[in-house]
Each structure stands twice: as C-alpha cells, then as structure tokens.
Amino acid sequence: MAPTSQPASSNPSRTHKQDVSLFNFFAPAGVLSKTHPAYEFRRGQLQMAQAVEQALEEKRHLIVEAGTGTGKTLAYLLPVIRSGKRVIISTGTKNLQEQLFYKDIPFLEQALFPDGEGKLNVCYMKGRNNYLCKKKLYDLTDQPVLSGLEEIEHYRAIAAWEKTTHTGDRAELASLPEASALWHKLDARSDTCLGQKCSAFETCFITEMRRRAMESDIIIVNHHLFFADLAIKQASEYAPDAGILPEVGAVIFDEAHELEDVAGSYFGVSVSNQRIEDLARDVEASLVRNKLLSASVMGALKSLRERSQLFFSVLAPGEGRFAFENRREFMEENGDEFIALSHSLQRMSSELQNLPSKSEEVFTFSRRAQELQVQLGFLMESEDHNTVFWIERRAGRGVSGGSGQGRRHGNVYLQATPIDVAPILKTTLFEQLETAVLTSATLAVGGGFEYMKRRLGLEHVREVVLPSHFDYPKQALFYVPPDLPDPRTPQFAAKAADRIRRLLEITRGRAFVLFTSYAQMNEVYQRLLGELEFPMLLQGDAPKSALLEEFRLTPHAVLFATSSFWQGVDVQGEQLSCVIIDRLPFAVPSDPVVAARVKSIDAEGGNAFFQYQVPAAVITLKQGFGRLIRSLHDRGLLTLLDNRILKKAYGRVFVESLPNYRRTTEMREVEQFFGAGD
C-alpha cells in the first residue's frame, strides 16, 4: 500500500463543517447508525468527540483514556474534519496509519458525502527510510557496485519498480526482504539528502510527499516520523527545508502511552561503527563514480575505518544494552583511540573540502563527518546531568569495509538519551501547539493522569477517562493463582509451566502466553513442548505478521511471545480466548535508561518505585490484557501468574487501574466459566 492524497483543488471538509453536528452523527438514528453495518450507540464515543471538539475550539490540550471498544478513531476524526484546521494525526504504528487512511477515512467520506460530491483532503506519510532516493538509484545505475547475486536481483527489481511507482514507498515492493542491505543504500535518509540542491529534487518522492502534506488538511503520520521531524527542526532552525511536516495548530496523538520512549530516542544522540562505515562507503562510491578518489582521500578513508574499528573494539565489553558509567576512566586509558577517531573524522572532512571539484554531495559528506565528530565528542566528554550514556551491542548488517570487524562482532552503538524528556517536550512541543490531544486505551493509573502528565511535561490540560463499551464482568474472568512461588525464585518456571498446561487444557488452547523475558519464554516453551496437544507457536520462529496469521488460521493454537505482542495486536473471536501473563511487567531495572530515571527521581527526593516503575508496569499490564476482549462478542480468561498483585501493597494500584473484570483465585471458577460458555 502506498500513501496518496486526494486533490486539493477544493476544500470540502471545511465547507461541510456545520452540516452535521456530533450528536446527529453519533446518536441513535443519526448518520452513523444509517451507514455503519455494526452500529451501536456508544455514549463514551460521543463524549470523547465532544471533548475533542471543545479542545480544538478552545485551543487547549486534552488527555483522554478511551477504553477498548469506545470507537476513539471516529471520535477524534469527525471533530478534526469539522474544525476546518490543518491537523496532524500521529499513531503508534504503521498498521494504525493504514487503518485510518484506507478504512476509517473512506468510511467517513461515504457517510458525510453519500452523493459522492465531496472528498476529504488527507495524506499519510512514513519515515524517510521507507522511500526510495532517486539520485542514489541513478548513481548506482551509472556505476553499479553490487555484492552478490541477491543484491543484483534486488537492484533489478527496484530499478524496474522505480519506473512505475508514484510514491517510492517500499511497501509496494512486497518481494523485497525487510532486511535488504541494498535498500539501506538507496533509501532517502535525511543525513544523505541534498535537499533543494539535489539534481533529482523536483521529481523526488520526499519532495512530492512534502507537497502532498502542504496541500492536505489531515496528515497521518506515526510517532517515529513525528519526533524524528521535530528533532531535525530543532537541530536545524537555520535550514528552511528541514523536516517534511508542515506547521499545524493541532496534533492528535493516538496510542499516546508510547510518547516518552519514542521522543527520548529522537532527542538523544547515537554514533555507531555502522554509521561511520556508511559515511566511508558513501564517500568512496561517490568519488569513484566521479573520478575524484585521490590518494590522499583514500588514505583518509583507510584511516577512518581503522580508527573506527579500534575505538569501538576497546569500548567497555558486554552484551545487549548497558550503562557507560566509567567514561572518565575509559578516556584516561583509551583517550588516544578517541582522539585518533575524532582526528580521522576531521581529516575526512578537510580532504573533502580540499577537493578541486566539489559537488553538493561532497559538501554533504563533509557535513556528516563534522556532525559525527561533534556527536562523538558529546558522547565521550559531555557532563549533561539530564543525559544517560550507554552502549548497545547488537547484530547488524555488518561492516563492509576494513577487516570485517563488524561482521564478526555485530554493530556497536554509543548512545546518549535524555533521562527526563518532560522539559524538552514542554518547550518544543506543547508550548508551541494550540491543541494537543493525547489518547489511548491505557493512559490512566489508578484512575488519574498524574504519571503521564509528569513524564511528558504536560500542563494546563483537560482530563477525561471514559469506560469501555464492553461488559467486562460478563465477558472476562481475571484469575490469579495464590499458591505459585514468587516469580523471582528458581522454582517459579516449573510451577508456572504446570499451571499454564492446566489452564490451556481448560481453554482448549486458543491462547497468548506472554512473557517479560525471552529466557522465561523459552524455558516454559521447552517444558511444555510435547506436553500439550495443541499447536504451539513461538516468537522468533517466523516474522510477527506471519505468526499472527498462522495463529488466526490454526484451530486451538497457543502463541508464546514477549514484548512485541503485548500491544498493537488484534485477534477477535473465540480463536483468542485466553491471555496468560507470567509476571508483573516491571521494566528491567538494569536497563541503563530505566536505571538512570530511577536514580534521578530518588535523588530529587521522590520515590521512583511508586512514581515511575509501578505506573509504567500498570500501563504495560493493561496493554497486555487488552489483547483479549476486542469486541462485544469476545469472551475469555485473563491470567496473571504473579500473585504479588494480591500480596504486596503496590498490588492495589494495579488492581484499581484494570477494568472491572470478574476476579477469582479459584481454578474451579475458571473451569465453570468455560464449562458454562463453551
């Protein structure tokens, strides 16, 4: 699917503004009742729509928790259309973007303009790396530098597709693997973009996307694109074409519980061996193509690759994500390696600036080298107290130059993340917008928004909590076994596996079994392998979308999964009749960002456990349990194997934050629940 927009020659959404009131649209016998095949009056939907309309009219911020089944998408879309304002809608996922653009917007068009005479002026946009850069493709066509038959096949497919596509969106290339190394060389990332000075600027897919956005009244994006764009604009105030999103007065943030993590990643800094190799590769390919690769530049490239390899190889050892707390000691022992890499980046920039014939592309390469040098200096020398410095090692595409260090050891990322994004969001976002609407099914903790407002820097905001449309006491049973050991003990996995087996026998499979760690997932899966008569699916054995499709199509299937299946997954009907969660989903305390936030709150006299760790876990638990009841006809069992929710004082916060499920600690009631309904 590719983003498109309706012609902007007229603006029917604004001329239609006063035609249909919110009440006449949502109420019984209203427009929605006559156009939606499964219409039911949802009081919460009307209340949310009225709150959004009031926020837009009064130019104030709104935070609203709308329980699953409220119909929140239409509840914010109609007021946006009626407002006549240009509005950005930012979603948590690309899937929700597509639902809005390809399902909800067309439905509203048909409902509002049944005679077909009107159209809503809408476009939807993804991040730049989803789009093809024509200049890169043309440069590769002039002098192809491809490695292996697979890249040659991918190149031919992309080159043929470029001649027919109107959008350049890689989603149209269904046959191109997600991990295509060639696509990474050809995408339209901002750090390689020449902007208006590019020879392909007028026909560029990013230029066309920006034009569509400027002509649209509603621009549908995702959080990653929104905050990437905001960060670019903040860092490039002098650049008139920085960013791709137009200025707007209002933004709707759907799935707003994700904002802190996404914003933190884009207002931070990251330098990796892969990023440096990307620069070296791009410089080398361009100068070879233009016959400008001199001996001195070749020497600078060789030095840069060697110095990068040495620097990243001596960084603190470890796997995964870990804090880089000993930067001062590191610099005392390995400062020469840092200085050498910094000088190599400076030398690379100077060599490029000294070329006798300089294209705009060469200036861009020089700027990238300077940016890397500045960011590396910040990462190693900054004393910013609102920043946590950390390292991540993960498998990557591998480094194509040098001795293959990247292929042997994966990629190493040196990172800096804001500990508290609230001050940043307060000044760069909420104080700049007339209206921000934050909505999700999981924003409130204990019935209030103090946690979310504090974490996001949201002040002077109207608050609304709307109950779900579902009848939870009848549709869902919440079971917590009181007799299992503490999940932090070695005995837990074996006892948990036995209880999961018994529960799945009662529910006849049809379950998600969700874990807070891969280790726990794999151990329980192995214990149950051969013990269950139901088909068992394991996260990691296939892509997420393929696993979900197999689960939907396989009777009595059981899916064992971790974090990526806790949210954004929708399986309606009896195929999913049970969700089991192994333990309260507290964030890993050793994670460098989590640890830094805990330390910061405690240092300021707060209580990080109750102010940060418990509320964050509450929202995650609500997301996980939210997979079960997705329609009025769904019915099933929710199980939390962690009985600390019953025994610890903080457990009350979790219980009070969950919907009013029917609750039990008795296996007999679980059996009766399914015996009566199945």
Side-chain angles (χ1 to χ4, degrees):
M1 285 182 264
T4 58
S5 64
Q6 304 297 339
S9 54
S10 62
N11 199 336
S13 63
R14 290 177 182 165
T15 60
H16 191 77
K17 177 180 177 182
Q18 301 301 329
D19 291 353
V20 180
S21 71
L22 296 180
F23 183 82
N24 289 337
F25 185 85
F26 289 108
V31 173
L32 189 59
S33 69
K34 298 171 184 175
T35 52
H36 199 291
Y39 171 80
E40 288 187 2
F41 175 59
R42 305 179 184 188
R43 187 172 303 279
Q45 186 177 46
L46 176 59
Q47 291 173 331
M48 178 175 171
Q50 291 169 333
V52 173
E53 183 164 82
Q54 184 177 0
L56 290 168
E57 289 177 349
E58 296 178 355
K59 300 180 180 179
R60 63 183 297 178
H61 300 327
L62 168 70
I63 183 169
V64 51
E65 178 174 275
T68 306
T70 302
K72 60 184 170 63
T73 305
L74 293 184
Y76 62 68
L77 274 176
L78 189 62
V80 163
I81 293 167
R82 284 170 43 80
S83 74
K85 297 181 178 183
R86 174 185 285 158
V87 177
I88 288 175
I89 298 174
S90 180
T91 73
T93 64
K94 293 177 188 175
N95 287 340
L96 185 51
Q97 278 184 276
E98 292 176 352
Q99 176 188 313
L100 281 163
F101 189 74
Y102 291 104
K103 179 182 176 183
D104 299 321
I105 292 292
F107 170 78
L108 276 175
E109 282 184 337
Q110 188 174 9
L112 295 174
F113 312 114
D115 54 8
E117 293 183 359
K119 288 288 184 182
L120 299 176
N121 197 4
V122 184
C123 73
Y124 107 81
M125 308 166 71
K126 301 179 184 178
R128 296 178 65 120
N129 61 344
N130 289 278
Y131 298 93
L132 177 69
C133 173
K134 289 188 175 185
K135 184 181 186 305
K136 291 180 182 177
L137 180 67
Y138 298 160
D139 289 344
L140 196 61
T141 303
D142 293 339
Q143 189 167 349
V145 181
L146 303 169
S147 56
L149 292 175
E150 185 176 65
E151 277 207 1
I152 293 172
E153 289 179 7
H154 292 174
Y155 165 74
R156 289 172 177 166
I158 294 171
W161 164 71
E162 185 269 336
K163 293 180 172 62
T164 61
T165 180
H166 295 291
T167 66
D169 182 357
R170 71 160 293 169
E172 297 177 357
L173 273 171
S175 61
L176 189 69
E178 288 187 20
S180 170
L182 181 62
W183 180 265
H184 178 77
K185 298 175 185 177
L186 297 177
D187 69 31
R189 286 170 292 131
S190 59
D191 62 350
T192 61
C193 183
L194 304 180
Q196 297 181 13
K197 297 178 181 178
C198 177
S199 58
F201 178 78
E202 288 302 320
T203 60
C204 171
F205 294 121
I206 299 296
T207 303
E208 180 55 31
M209 185 169 66
R210 186 185 283 116
R211 287 181 186 137
R212 287 198 302 271
M214 293 299 295
E215 295 170 351
S216 298
D217 297 324
I218 300 174
I219 302 105
I220 302 170
V221 305
N222 58 59
H223 298 337
H224 287 274
L225 172 56
F226 182 88
F227 285 104
D229 192 78
L230 183 61
I232 288 172
K233 288 173 179 173
Q234 291 300 314
S236 310
E237 294 181 3
Y238 57 86
D241 58 347
I244 58 176
L245 299 181
E247 295 299 315
V248 296
V251 179
I252 311 290
F253 292 106
D254 201 342
E255 302 298 326
H257 60 277
E258 299 179 7
L259 292 187
E260 180 181 16
D261 286 342
V262 177
S265 67
Y266 285 102
F267 284 106
V269 173
S270 176
V271 173
S272 66
N273 57 338
Q274 183 64 63
R275 189 174 163 200
I276 291 175
E277 174 55 30
D278 285 348
L279 171 63
R281 183 203 62 217
D282 291 347
V283 168
E284 187 172 32
S286 174
L287 299 190
V288 167
R289 184 173 59 250
N290 294 296
K291 298 181 174 57
L292 291 173
L293 188 59
S294 64
S296 58
V297 174
M298 287 178 63
L301 283 168
K302 183 174 183 292
S303 172
L304 179 60
R305 282 173 163 143
E306 290 175 348
R307 296 302 182 183
S308 174
Q309 178 183 315
L310 183 57
F311 173 78
F312 285 100
S313 69
V314 298
L315 280 176
E319 296 297 328
R321 293 160 56 114
F322 54 95
F324 192 16
E325 296 177 324
N326 62 335
R327 287 183 304 145
R328 184 171 297 177
E329 292 86 344
F330 176 88
M331 289 292 282
E332 290 175 358
E333 296 180 11
N334 303 286
D336 290 347
E337 281 72 21
F338 159 70
I339 293 170
L341 177 56
S342 181
H343 285 172
S344 291
L345 287 164
Q346 185 178 33
R347 177 184 172 188
M348 186 78 263
S349 176
S350 298
E351 290 288 353
L352 291 167
Q353 292 177 19
N354 291 333
L355 287 173
S357 175
K358 291 186 285 291
S359 64
E360 188 59 35
E361 188 174 45
V362 169
F363 282 113
T364 300
F365 294 148
S366 178
R367 175 187 56 77
R368 286 169 62 184
Q370 293 170 4
E371 184 178 77
L372 278 165
Q373 184 184 13
V374 170
Q375 291 180 347
L376 183 66
F378 175 82
L379 286 160
M380 297 306 302
E381 298 177 321
S382 172
E383 298 296 332
D384 187 337
H385 296 295
N386 189 37
T387 301
V388 53
F389 299 91
W390 52 288
I391 297 169
E392 182 175 11
R393 299 183 189 274
R394 62 177 185 242
R397 300 185 312 276
V399 176
S400 58
S403 65
Q405 179 79 10
R407 279 189 294 273
R408 288 198 302 272
H409 299 289
N411 292 330
V412 184
Y413 296 79
L414 187 55
Q415 314 259 30
T417 300
I419 296 172
D420 185 2
V421 299
I424 302 171
L425 293 180
K426 180 176 181 290
T427 57
T428 65
L429 179 61
F430 296 122
E431 289 183 353
Q432 307 303 317
L433 285 173
E434 290 180 354
T435 304
V437 176
L438 287 72
T439 185
S440 171
T442 56
L443 286 174
V445 176
F449 296 107
E450 287 308 309
Y451 167 72
M452 198 59 64
K453 292 192 298 179
R454 185 170 59 247
R455 298 310 304 170
L456 298 179
L458 193 57
E459 300 175 351
H460 312 299
V461 57
R462 186 183 175 201
E463 305 172 20
V464 178
V465 177
L466 299 171
S468 172
H469 186 54
F470 301 143
D471 187 351
Y472 282 120
K474 290 184 178 179
Q475 291 183 257
L477 178 66
F478 177 32
Y479 166 64
V480 180
D483 57 324
L484 289 186
D486 189 302
R488 295 167 293 185
T489 64
Q491 298 81 20
F492 177 75
K495 297 289 187 181
D498 287 342
R499 191 60 51 92
I500 291 168
R501 178 181 54 77
R502 177 67 187 120
L503 291 168
L504 294 176
E505 289 170 351
I506 295 171
T507 66
R508 303 201 310 276
R510 306 181 296 168
F512 280 1
V513 187
L514 302 177
F515 297 87
T516 54
S517 76
Y518 282 95
Q520 189 90 285
M521 176 188 75
N522 288 321
E523 181 174 354
V524 172
Y525 175 85
Q526 290 299 327
R527 287 179 178 273
L528 293 174
L529 199 59
E531 297 289 322
L532 290 177
E533 59 179 305
F534 313 113
M536 295 172 60
L537 308 176
L538 181 67
Q539 179 180 337
D541 286 352
K544 179 180 177 180
S545 58
L547 279 175
L548 271 177
E549 188 63 16
E550 187 174 357
F551 180 87
R552 290 189 180 102
L553 298 175
T554 306
H556 305 287
V558 180
L559 173 65
F560 295 77
T562 62
S563 56
S564 62
F565 284 84
W566 283 63
Q567 57 185 335
V569 174
D570 190 1
V571 180
Q572 295 188 16
E574 65 175 16
Q575 183 63 23
L576 179 59
S577 296
C578 176
V579 171
I580 300 172
I581 291 176
D582 68 333
R583 60 188 293 173
L584 292 171
F586 289 107
V588 179
S590 60
D591 179 90
V593 177
V594 172
R597 288 173 176 166
V598 167
K599 183 178 179 181
S600 174
I601 294 169
D602 287 342
E604 292 176 2
N607 185 319
F609 184 69
F610 283 100
Q611 290 177 236
Y612 174 60
Q613 291 167 285
V614 168
V618 165
I619 288 174
T620 304
L621 183 65
K622 289 169 70 174
Q623 279 289 322
F625 277 164
R627 298 315 96 212
L628 183 65
I629 306 300
R630 309 296 296 178
S631 77
L632 284 167
H633 306 292
D634 288 346
R635 186 174 181 276
L637 173 71
L638 296 164
T639 296
L640 176 66
L641 299 175
D642 186 347
N643 52 43
R644 288 178 296 174
I645 197 173
L646 305 175
K647 299 176 179 179
K648 299 292 186 181
Y650 60 77
R652 181 180 300 176
V653 181
F654 286 89
V655 173
E656 292 176 349
S657 301
L658 293 172
N660 58 333
Y661 308 124
R662 177 183 159 195
R663 300 167 189 160
T664 185
T665 58
E666 300 291 334
M667 183 67 79
R668 176 178 48 82
E669 289 195 46
V670 175
E671 295 170 345
Q672 291 174 347
F673 182 82
F674 279 91
D678 292 301

